[in-house]
Amino acid sequence: MCGKTDEQKSTWRALRTGLARAIAPALVVAALAWGWWAWDQEALLAWKAEATPLRFFAALAVLPALGVPTTPFYVLAGVTFGGVIGVVGSILSLVVNLLLCYWIGNSGLRPWLIRRMERGGRVLPTLEKGRAMRFAVLVKLAPGVPTFVKNYLIVLAGVPLPLFMAVSLAVTLPYLTAFVVMGNLAEEHDWRDLIWVGVAVIGLVGLGWWVRKRWAR
């Protein structure tokens, strides 16, 4: 009996990683909902009373550029501020974060990388427009890679700002919206809709995996 080929192994590994990334945030939502319902309602109420949109979304705009995961922020945004404010505030924070990552990458990381390569007699290649878009999409859809690493990789590759913003928003907005809504539904104990949103998230992960595999070919 023949074993699996390397391509099949890579495909299943990517699929498992994608599903894990979809299921893990749902477990975070479930944990928050359980804590609200059965353990420490007073602590969560105190957090909601003290949290302000300005401080919360300012942290969401800055901290992910330093490597802090965004998914717990999106869930907490829905729990704390509701669906509408949570989604709008998270989108604004995402835009600021992307601009910050682009500025850090172009003002510090990319010049440093160029100098390092020049010392070794090499030149950092510049991607053509078509290749730049394909590269940005494939990096953004890569499973298992932290978001801030993806952002800096795209910037280091010399992808123009409009294209970087367009691809990042197109890939991230459905994910962002889904997890803010999941947080809001968990806070409202709307389990039926929460399950449907969870199914939608898994579908988005599957779609991303399919698009990435097709484009990679």
Side-chain angles (χ1 to χ4, degrees), residues 194-211:
L194 181 61
I195 291 172
W196 281 113
V197 175
V199 171
V201 169
I202 295 175
L204 287 172
V205 171
L207 177 62
W209 171 80
W210 179 82
V211 170

Side-chain angles (χ1 to χ4, degrees), residues 116-133:
R116 293 277 297 184
M117 294 187 70
E118 287 177 347
R119 290 174 187 171
R122 293 170 293 176
V123 178
L124 185 65
T126 301
L127 296 174
E128 300 175 359
K129 186 175 181 180
R131 290 181 178 271
M133 181 175 179

Side-chain angles (χ1 to χ4, degrees), residues 48-147:
K48 292 183 66 175
E50 295 178 4
T52 63
L54 180 59
R55 285 185 295 181
F56 182 90
F57 292 115
L60 179 54
V62 174
L63 294 181
L66 306 176
V68 176
T70 55
T71 300
F73 272 102
Y74 296 149
V75 174
L76 277 175
V79 170
T80 308
F81 305 109
V84 176
I85 296 178
V87 169
V88 173
S90 296
I91 291 174
L92 294 175
S93 296
L94 173 63
V95 171
V96 174
N97 176 258
L98 292 173
L99 292 172
L100 179 61
C101 288
Y102 198 85
W103 176 77
I104 292 173
N106 270 297
S107 63
L109 296 179
R110 185 172 166 82
W112 172 82
L113 180 60
I114 290 174
R115 289 194 299 269
R116 293 277 297 184
M117 294 187 70
E118 287 177 347
R119 290 174 187 171
R122 293 170 293 176
V123 178
L124 185 65
T126 301
L127 296 174
E128 300 175 359
K129 186 175 181 180
R131 290 181 178 271
M133 181 175 179
R134 182 180 294 273
F135 176 82
V137 171
L138 291 177
V139 169
K140 272 294 180 182
L141 294 177
V145 182
T147 301

Side-chain angles (χ1 to χ4, degrees), residues 144-155:
V145 182
T147 301
F148 81 107
V149 174
K150 296 179 182 181
N151 289 339
Y152 290 130
L153 283 175
I154 295 172
V155 175

